[in-house]
Amino acid sequence: MRIALDGMGGDSAPAIVVQGAVQALRQSGGAFEIALVGRRDELDRALHQIADLPSGLSVHHASQVVGMADRPSAALRQLRDASIRVCFDLLAQGEVDAVVSAGNSGATMATAVVVLGRLPEVDRPALASVLPGPSGPTVLVDVGANVDCTPLMLLQFGYMGSVYAQRVLGVTAPKVGLLSIGEESGKGNSLVKRAYEDFATSPLNFVGNVEGRDMFSGAAQVVVCDGFVGNVCLKLSEALGEMAIGVFVELLSSSALARTASLLLKSELKKLTAQFDYANYGGAPLLGVNGVAFVCHGASSPKAIASALGRAADAVRGELTRHLAEGLGQYRGSLLGEGGRG
Amino acid sequence: MRIALDGMGGDSAPAIVVQGAVQALRQSGGAFEIALVGRRDELDRALHQIADLPSGLSVHHASQVVGMADRPSAALRQLRDASIRVCFDLLAQGEVDAVVSAGNSGATMATAVVVLGRLPEVDRPALASVLPGPSGPTVLVDVGANVDCTPLMLLQFGYMGSVYAQRVLGVTAPKVGLLSIGEESGKGNSLVKRAYEDFATSPLNFVGNVEGRDMFSGAAQVVVCDGFVGNVCLKLSEALGEMAIGVFVELLSSSALARTASLLLKSELKKLTAQFDYANYGGAPLLGVNGVAFVCHGASSPKAIASALGRAADAVRGELTRHLAEGLGQYRGSLLGEGGRG
């Protein structure tokens, strides 16, 4: 297996990206190879900083770079040899099995759609995020690909999230919930109210509406919402996780006794930080395009890049794209919105 | 000053409500009196449970009760002597200065609008919530009164949140942000994009779009969003706060060393729990009705009821209603949506 990694994508590219690739290869035990895509000279320079490079790392030259602030449409038109674009070209040509990028996420998604194309039955690909929780991970979809949605789009997000939970996270018959402001079917905004019946009559394991508090409760393994709500919730969750750690760390240095205590807690604190650290939960899969694509934060750490690469490898191994296409095809009726209408 | 408290509202009414009233009176040092509204026999029984009752507590009989699951419209039509209804009747008649209820929030809001009426310039009253944060409180508005909004409604929420932050929280020239998925003016769903220009050209201290992560960062003291997004975010924040505390507590008992450490941390942990405890941040003010009304969680603790009563007293003292009416009247032009259009 071979994964194309956008070497120029991210706030601290290429250094951080290269470190992430190296970390991933060391952890994977030869499960996959990585094609680092970007300006050869810059990537080589970054690689030279690393002692005893693991095998399985190759550089694929791409002369252009999409800036974090560039408009996706402009990048698509003008930057035909941009690292992001070349990553997806390699995937379309079958030279790699997946793409991971921490670059301009708008451009990454737009390029994926244009170069790979959408799966049949999918109107709009969606970005999913795997949220950590005491009772296991929850797939939140959409987290930003589509800010204005239709009920049919939400239903498709539900299917795609469900397939992802099954095939990549290994959850059997994932519970699917519609994010709303009350559990009763009548609760929600007009979009959610309209979507509810289609979900209820679909073959999904639909558990009804779930609330903000259920996003980490395990009430559902797949939580569906429009990309505006999902993106706001994702950033809010990340911020609260960091805030919680910050508060606790501050607390542990707030007095002599506390500092003593913190020494006793060293190992527990590591566990805690890990639980709240989004870097452990990989990038966000772009569901509904014809291929495996993962989008990472621009501020991703090497660990976050590495875990996204590992998650992408899981998706390839789980044949995510094939199962998405089959799953969606199978439910064509309800996906066309007929589900709720018999 | 006299505050009407819905004695029958809340999951554990009247016991918890009565305890909250008593706690509030003991803390307030005679700053206000409380009229407990509800079934006299049940309230008296709850009051008899309490040793040395503080002065300033009276019972006002109301024969009916709105159930937590009752439909607001039905409650309004059929339950003319419900405790919630009587609370607002007392406020409309000038016999009390504010209302606090932990009962059916839909019915509480609907009753407030019908009995008190809306302030001029206000299309739809909004529910605000004060979020705790390391850099001070943030007013999130709307958190559930209006699930589908127009740009004009958001602008009005911004004004009302701004006046609340000034008059009740004592923030001078509060920074107002529009909750979105990116800071650039072009980012957001169609609602936010349409609202942006009106905010930008309004007399508000508008700082542009803020993201989910800014809700606790102090980037803005007033964060505006539709009631669907706000409600989801509020419940998500509460759940994450509880989860964080749960994780800490579990961590502190996870080993002999950790248990020793937790003994050293006793006082710091108290502070921490307080910082994450929503009970310290009072109820949610219903802004835009002609009177001071606070809505509390059905699951409110006595402490939460007490802090809502204290916050309501602050609002009365700060002449919130008068300042809302004046502030909104002053900006009539932009409130009518002309702001963005010169």
Short mmCIF file of all heavy atoms in Angstrom, two decimals, chain A residues 29-61:
data_model
loop_
_atom_site.label_atom_id
_atom_site.label_comp_id
_atom_site.label_asym_id
_atom_site.label_seq_id
_atom_site.Cartn_x
_atom_site.Cartn_y
_atom_site.Cartn_z
N GLY A 29 5.32 -0.44 10.85
CA GLY A 29 5.99 -1.73 10.62
C GLY A 29 5.84 -2.19 9.18
O GLY A 29 5.48 -3.33 8.90
N GLY A 30 6.05 -1.28 8.25
CA GLY A 30 6.05 -1.66 6.83
C GLY A 30 4.68 -1.93 6.24
O GLY A 30 4.56 -2.49 5.16
N ALA A 31 3.62 -1.53 6.95
CA ALA A 31 2.26 -1.76 6.43
C ALA A 31 2.00 -0.93 5.18
O ALA A 31 1.20 -1.30 4.33
CB ALA A 31 1.22 -1.44 7.49
N PHE A 32 2.66 0.21 5.06
CA PHE A 32 2.45 1.05 3.88
C PHE A 32 3.71 1.88 3.59
O PHE A 32 4.57 2.02 4.46
CB PHE A 32 1.23 1.96 4.05
CG PHE A 32 1.28 2.81 5.30
CD1 PHE A 32 1.96 4.04 5.31
CD2 PHE A 32 0.62 2.40 6.46
CE1 PHE A 32 1.98 4.82 6.45
CE2 PHE A 32 0.66 3.18 7.62
CZ PHE A 32 1.34 4.39 7.61
N GLU A 33 3.75 2.39 2.36
CA GLU A 33 4.81 3.31 1.96
C GLU A 33 4.21 4.70 1.80
O GLU A 33 2.99 4.84 1.70
CB GLU A 33 5.43 2.86 0.64
CG GLU A 33 6.09 1.49 0.72
CD GLU A 33 6.73 1.11 -0.61
OE1 GLU A 33 6.41 1.78 -1.62
OE2 GLU A 33 7.50 0.15 -0.62
N ILE A 34 5.08 5.70 1.81
CA ILE A 34 4.59 7.07 1.69
C ILE A 34 5.28 7.78 0.53
O ILE A 34 6.52 7.74 0.41
CB ILE A 34 4.83 7.87 2.99
CG1 ILE A 34 4.00 7.27 4.13
CG2 ILE A 34 4.49 9.35 2.80
CD1 ILE A 34 4.31 7.86 5.49
N ALA A 35 4.48 8.41 -0.33
CA ALA A 35 5.02 9.27 -1.38
C ALA A 35 4.86 10.71 -0.92
O ALA A 35 3.74 11.21 -0.83
CB ALA A 35 4.28 9.04 -2.69
N LEU A 36 5.97 11.33 -0.56
CA LEU A 36 5.96 12.74 -0.12
C LEU A 36 5.89 13.60 -1.37
O LEU A 36 6.79 13.57 -2.21
CB LEU A 36 7.24 13.05 0.63
CG LEU A 36 7.22 13.12 2.15
CD1 LEU A 36 8.62 13.38 2.65
CD2 LEU A 36 6.25 14.19 2.63
N VAL A 37 4.82 14.38 -1.52
CA VAL A 37 4.63 15.17 -2.73
C VAL A 37 4.90 16.64 -2.46
O VAL A 37 4.34 17.22 -1.52
CB VAL A 37 3.21 14.98 -3.28
CG1 VAL A 37 3.01 15.81 -4.54
CG2 VAL A 37 2.91 13.51 -3.53
N GLY A 38 5.78 17.24 -3.27
CA GLY A 38 6.09 18.67 -3.10
C GLY A 38 7.41 19.03 -3.75
O GLY A 38 7.96 18.24 -4.53
N ARG A 39 7.91 20.20 -3.43
CA ARG A 39 9.15 20.67 -4.03
C ARG A 39 10.30 19.82 -3.53
O ARG A 39 10.61 19.78 -2.34
CB ARG A 39 9.38 22.15 -3.69
CG ARG A 39 8.34 23.05 -4.32
CD ARG A 39 8.71 24.51 -4.14
NE ARG A 39 7.72 25.37 -4.78
CZ ARG A 39 7.12 26.40 -4.17
NH1 ARG A 39 7.42 26.69 -2.91
NH2 ARG A 39 6.23 27.13 -4.81
N ARG A 40 10.94 19.13 -4.48
CA ARG A 40 11.96 18.15 -4.13
C ARG A 40 13.05 18.74 -3.24
O ARG A 40 13.41 18.16 -2.21
CB ARG A 40 12.59 17.55 -5.40
CG ARG A 40 13.57 16.41 -5.14
CD ARG A 40 14.08 15.78 -6.41
NE ARG A 40 13.03 15.11 -7.20
CZ ARG A 40 12.54 13.91 -6.89
NH1 ARG A 40 12.96 13.27 -5.82
NH2 ARG A 40 11.61 13.35 -7.64
N ASP A 41 13.53 19.94 -3.61
CA ASP A 41 14.65 20.51 -2.84
C ASP A 41 14.24 20.76 -1.38
O ASP A 41 14.95 20.39 -0.45
CB ASP A 41 15.16 21.81 -3.50
CG ASP A 41 14.04 22.83 -3.70
OD1 ASP A 41 12.85 22.43 -3.61
OD2 ASP A 41 14.33 24.01 -3.92
N GLU A 42 13.06 21.34 -1.20
CA GLU A 42 12.61 21.63 0.17
C GLU A 42 12.38 20.34 0.97
O GLU A 42 12.73 20.24 2.15
CB GLU A 42 11.32 22.46 0.15
CG GLU A 42 11.51 23.86 -0.40
CD GLU A 42 10.23 24.70 -0.31
OE1 GLU A 42 9.55 24.61 0.74
OE2 GLU A 42 9.91 25.41 -1.28
N LEU A 43 11.81 19.35 0.30
CA LEU A 43 11.53 18.09 1.00
C LEU A 43 12.83 17.37 1.34
O LEU A 43 13.01 16.86 2.46
CB LEU A 43 10.63 17.20 0.14
CG LEU A 43 9.20 17.72 -0.05
CD1 LEU A 43 8.45 16.88 -1.07
CD2 LEU A 43 8.46 17.75 1.28
N ASP A 44 13.77 17.38 0.38
CA ASP A 44 15.07 16.74 0.65
C ASP A 44 15.75 17.41 1.83
O ASP A 44 16.27 16.74 2.72
CB ASP A 44 15.97 16.82 -0.60
CG ASP A 44 15.54 15.81 -1.67
OD1 ASP A 44 14.82 14.85 -1.30
OD2 ASP A 44 15.89 15.99 -2.84
N ARG A 45 15.67 18.76 1.86
CA ARG A 45 16.31 19.48 2.96
C ARG A 45 15.70 19.03 4.30
O ARG A 45 16.41 18.76 5.26
CB ARG A 45 16.15 20.99 2.78
CG ARG A 45 17.43 21.77 3.13
CD ARG A 45 17.30 23.25 2.81
NE ARG A 45 17.11 23.53 1.39
CZ ARG A 45 16.05 24.18 0.88
NH1 ARG A 45 15.10 24.64 1.68
NH2 ARG A 45 15.96 24.37 -0.42
N ALA A 46 14.38 18.92 4.32
CA ALA A 46 13.70 18.50 5.56
C ALA A 46 14.08 17.07 5.93
O ALA A 46 14.30 16.74 7.10
CB ALA A 46 12.19 18.62 5.40
N LEU A 47 14.20 16.22 4.90
CA LEU A 47 14.55 14.81 5.16
C LEU A 47 15.96 14.69 5.72
O LEU A 47 16.25 13.83 6.55
CB LEU A 47 14.41 14.00 3.87
CG LEU A 47 12.97 13.71 3.44
CD1 LEU A 47 12.91 13.25 1.99
CD2 LEU A 47 12.32 12.68 4.36
N HIS A 48 16.85 15.61 5.26
CA HIS A 48 18.24 15.54 5.72
C HIS A 48 18.35 15.83 7.22
O HIS A 48 19.31 15.45 7.87
CB HIS A 48 19.12 16.52 4.93
CG HIS A 48 19.44 16.02 3.55
ND1 HIS A 48 19.85 14.73 3.32
CD2 HIS A 48 19.38 16.63 2.35
CE1 HIS A 48 20.04 14.56 2.01
NE2 HIS A 48 19.75 15.71 1.39
N GLN A 49 17.32 16.47 7.77
CA GLN A 49 17.36 16.79 9.20
C GLN A 49 17.14 15.54 10.05
O GLN A 49 17.32 15.57 11.26
CB GLN A 49 16.25 17.80 9.55
CG GLN A 49 16.27 19.07 8.72
CD GLN A 49 17.57 19.82 8.87
OE1 GLN A 49 18.08 19.96 9.99
NE2 GLN A 49 18.17 20.24 7.76
N ILE A 50 16.69 14.46 9.41
CA ILE A 50 16.26 13.29 10.19
C ILE A 50 17.31 12.18 10.19
O ILE A 50 17.83 11.79 9.14
CB ILE A 50 14.91 12.76 9.65
CG1 ILE A 50 13.82 13.78 10.01
CG2 ILE A 50 14.58 11.40 10.23
CD1 ILE A 50 12.60 13.72 9.17
N ALA A 51 17.62 11.72 11.41
CA ALA A 51 18.62 10.66 11.55
C ALA A 51 17.99 9.31 11.21
O ALA A 51 16.81 9.09 11.46
CB ALA A 51 19.14 10.64 12.99
N ASP A 52 18.78 8.42 10.62
CA ASP A 52 18.34 7.10 10.11
C ASP A 52 16.89 7.07 9.65
O ASP A 52 15.97 6.69 10.37
CB ASP A 52 18.61 5.97 11.12
CG ASP A 52 18.00 6.19 12.49
OD1 ASP A 52 16.84 5.83 12.68
OD2 ASP A 52 18.69 6.76 13.35
N LEU A 53 16.70 7.55 8.42
CA LEU A 53 15.38 7.54 7.79
C LEU A 53 14.87 6.11 7.66
O LEU A 53 15.62 5.22 7.27
CB LEU A 53 15.46 8.16 6.39
CG LEU A 53 15.37 9.68 6.25
CD1 LEU A 53 15.62 10.09 4.81
CD2 LEU A 53 14.01 10.16 6.72
N PRO A 54 13.60 5.88 7.97
CA PRO A 54 13.04 4.55 7.74
C PRO A 54 12.86 4.33 6.23
O PRO A 54 12.80 5.29 5.47
CB PRO A 54 11.69 4.60 8.44
CG PRO A 54 11.32 6.05 8.45
CD PRO A 54 12.61 6.80 8.53
N SER A 55 12.75 3.07 5.82
CA SER A 55 12.52 2.80 4.40
C SER A 55 11.04 3.04 4.09
O SER A 55 10.23 3.20 5.01
CB SER A 55 12.88 1.35 4.09
OG SER A 55 12.02 0.50 4.83
N GLY A 56 10.72 3.06 2.80
CA GLY A 56 9.32 3.22 2.40
C GLY A 56 8.93 4.65 2.16
O GLY A 56 7.76 4.96 1.97
N LEU A 57 9.94 5.56 2.16
CA LEU A 57 9.65 6.98 1.95
C LEU A 57 10.26 7.44 0.63
O LEU A 57 11.46 7.32 0.43
CB LEU A 57 10.23 7.78 3.13
CG LEU A 57 9.79 9.23 3.29
CD1 LEU A 57 8.28 9.31 3.47
CD2 LEU A 57 10.47 9.83 4.53
N SER A 58 9.40 7.94 -0.26
CA SER A 58 9.92 8.46 -1.53
C SER A 58 9.40 9.88 -1.74
O SER A 58 8.39 10.27 -1.15
CB SER A 58 9.46 7.57 -2.69
OG SER A 58 8.05 7.56 -2.75
N VAL A 59 10.12 10.66 -2.54
CA VAL A 59 9.71 12.03 -2.82
C VAL A 59 9.19 12.11 -4.25
O VAL A 59 9.80 11.59 -5.18
CB VAL A 59 10.88 13.01 -2.64
CG1 VAL A 59 10.51 14.39 -3.18
CG2 VAL A 59 11.27 13.11 -1.16
N HIS A 60 8.02 12.71 -4.41
CA HIS A 60 7.46 12.93 -5.76
C HIS A 60 7.38 14.43 -5.98
O HIS A 60 6.64 15.13 -5.27
CB HIS A 60 6.08 12.28 -5.87
CG HIS A 60 5.55 12.31 -7.27
ND1 HIS A 60 5.58 11.21 -8.10
CD2 HIS A 60 5.00 13.31 -7.99
CE1 HIS A 60 5.06 11.54 -9.27
NE2 HIS A 60 4.71 12.81 -9.23
N HIS A 61 8.12 14.93 -6.96
CA HIS A 61 8.21 16.37 -7.14
C HIS A 61 6.91 17.00 -7.65
O HIS A 61 6.24 16.46 -8.53
CB HIS A 61 9.34 16.70 -8.13
CG HIS A 61 9.52 18.17 -8.35
ND1 HIS A 61 9.96 19.02 -7.37
CD2 HIS A 61 9.28 18.95 -9.44
CE1 HIS A 61 10.02 20.26 -7.84
NE2 HIS A 61 9.60 20.25 -9.10
#
